[in-house]
Amino acid sequence: MKIIFDFDYTLFSTKKLFENLKEEFKGSGVSDKLFSETFQKSKGAFGYNSENQFKLIIEEKPELNLKKLKIAFKKIINRADQFVYPDVLPVLRNLEKENELILLSYGEKKFQKEKIENSKILSYFNKIIITQDINKVSDLKKILKEKEVGLFVEDAPNTLYEAKKVFPNLITVRIKREEGKYIKEPDNKNIDFVIRDLEGLKKIINQKFFF
Ligand SMILES: [Mg+2]
């Protein structure tokens, strides 16, 4: 069976990444306030954009060195594997044996690629897709046949809602990490299961009546 995973706040603590970036930038002379402001402003159509943020920081504080900021950024991104949630690896290891695992992540291409590549989970996936379609439906169409049974693990309730509309046999699993971006958004009728971590996914898959 195909199991499709979202990345940010499903497998990866984006919050931890940004906290670490903020801390590292502080060492380069970027205050928390400047970091947060430029972080927000840097966002393009598809989310956070690091290059934009560097430019905005330099605009505010021309005495800072762009090269140094890039090095600070790289240092943290290189440690992306530390921000993968602790419950992820054992479950992926277990699932990859009998399933086709697909990573389907939304966001700005370069930044997503840097995070994903450094997270050291690439080898578990048969396919990795970075999309600019927030509902991911156009990408799911390339992965699944209309009536195919598959599993989709994602923290954005609306993405699951839209996916199920097009793929009625897709089992939609909402993962509610406490720090998640969508934690306050309500469930919807197109969500089949709600879990707190990937341990919860094992239980769903073990209910073999689905498959
Ligand atoms: Mg997500």
Side-chain angles (χ1 to χ4, degrees), residues 6-11 14 136 154-156 175 181-182:
D6 165 52
F7 187 69
D8 291 292
Y9 294 115
T10 293
L11 306 179
T14 315
K136 301 183 173 174
E154 161 72 65
D155 71 310
I175 186 158
K181 199 170 157 187
Y182 302 98

Side-chain angles (χ1 to χ4, degrees), residues 104 129-133 136-143:
L104 176 53
I129 303 166
I130 298 170
T131 182
Q132 263 79 53
D133 172 6
K136 301 183 173 174
V137 167
S138 56
D139 303 279
L140 290 171
K141 281 181 179 163
K142 290 176 208 150
I143 299 168

Side-chain angles (χ1 to χ4, degrees), residues 83-122:
F83 313 132
V84 172
Y85 292 113
D87 50 280
V88 169
L89 287 190
V91 175
L92 290 184
R93 218 170 271 149
N94 197 272
L95 290 177
E96 71 156 349
K97 292 176 214 150
E98 290 178 20
N99 300 282
E100 188 179 331
L101 307 188
I102 297 156
L103 187 63
L104 176 53
S105 172
Y106 166 84
E108 196 267 325
K109 265 218 158 83
K110 186 166 172 274
F111 182 53
Q112 292 310 99
K113 206 168 166 261
E114 284 177 309
K115 278 188 287 185
I116 292 168
E117 280 178 357
N118 287 296
S119 66
K120 297 188 183 155
I121 55 171
L122 288 182

Side-chain angles (χ1 to χ4, degrees), residues 105-200:
S105 172
Y106 166 84
E108 196 267 325
K109 265 218 158 83
K110 186 166 172 274
F111 182 53
Q112 292 310 99
K113 206 168 166 261
E114 284 177 309
K115 278 188 287 185
I116 292 168
E117 280 178 357
N118 287 296
S119 66
K120 297 188 183 155
I121 55 171
L122 288 182
S123 63
Y124 298 106
F125 292 94
N126 298 73
K127 209 181 276 172
I128 290 151
I129 303 166
I130 298 170
T131 182
Q132 263 79 53
D133 172 6
I134 194 152
N135 288 321
K136 301 183 173 174
V137 167
S138 56
D139 303 279
L140 290 171
K141 281 181 179 163
K142 290 176 208 150
I143 299 168
L144 296 164
K145 292 183 201 86
E146 203 189 320
K147 295 281 158 62
E148 192 169 339
V149 176
L151 217 138
F152 186 18
V153 190
E154 161 72 65
D155 71 310
N158 199 51
T159 302
L160 293 169
Y161 181 83
E162 295 298 327
K164 186 83 159 188
K165 275 207 306 207
V166 181
F167 300 96
N169 295 329
L170 182 64
I171 300 152
T172 50
V173 182
R174 178 181 187 184
I175 186 158
K176 266 177 129 173
R177 304 270 185 194
E178 258 168 52
E179 60 182 25
K181 199 170 157 187
Y182 302 98
I183 190 84
K184 295 212 168 80
E185 289 192 18
D187 289 331
N188 60 61
K189 64 177 172 63
N190 285 358
I191 293 171
D192 295 317
F193 296 95
V194 179
I195 56 175
R196 301 224 157 256
D197 53 36
L198 287 196
E199 280 295 310

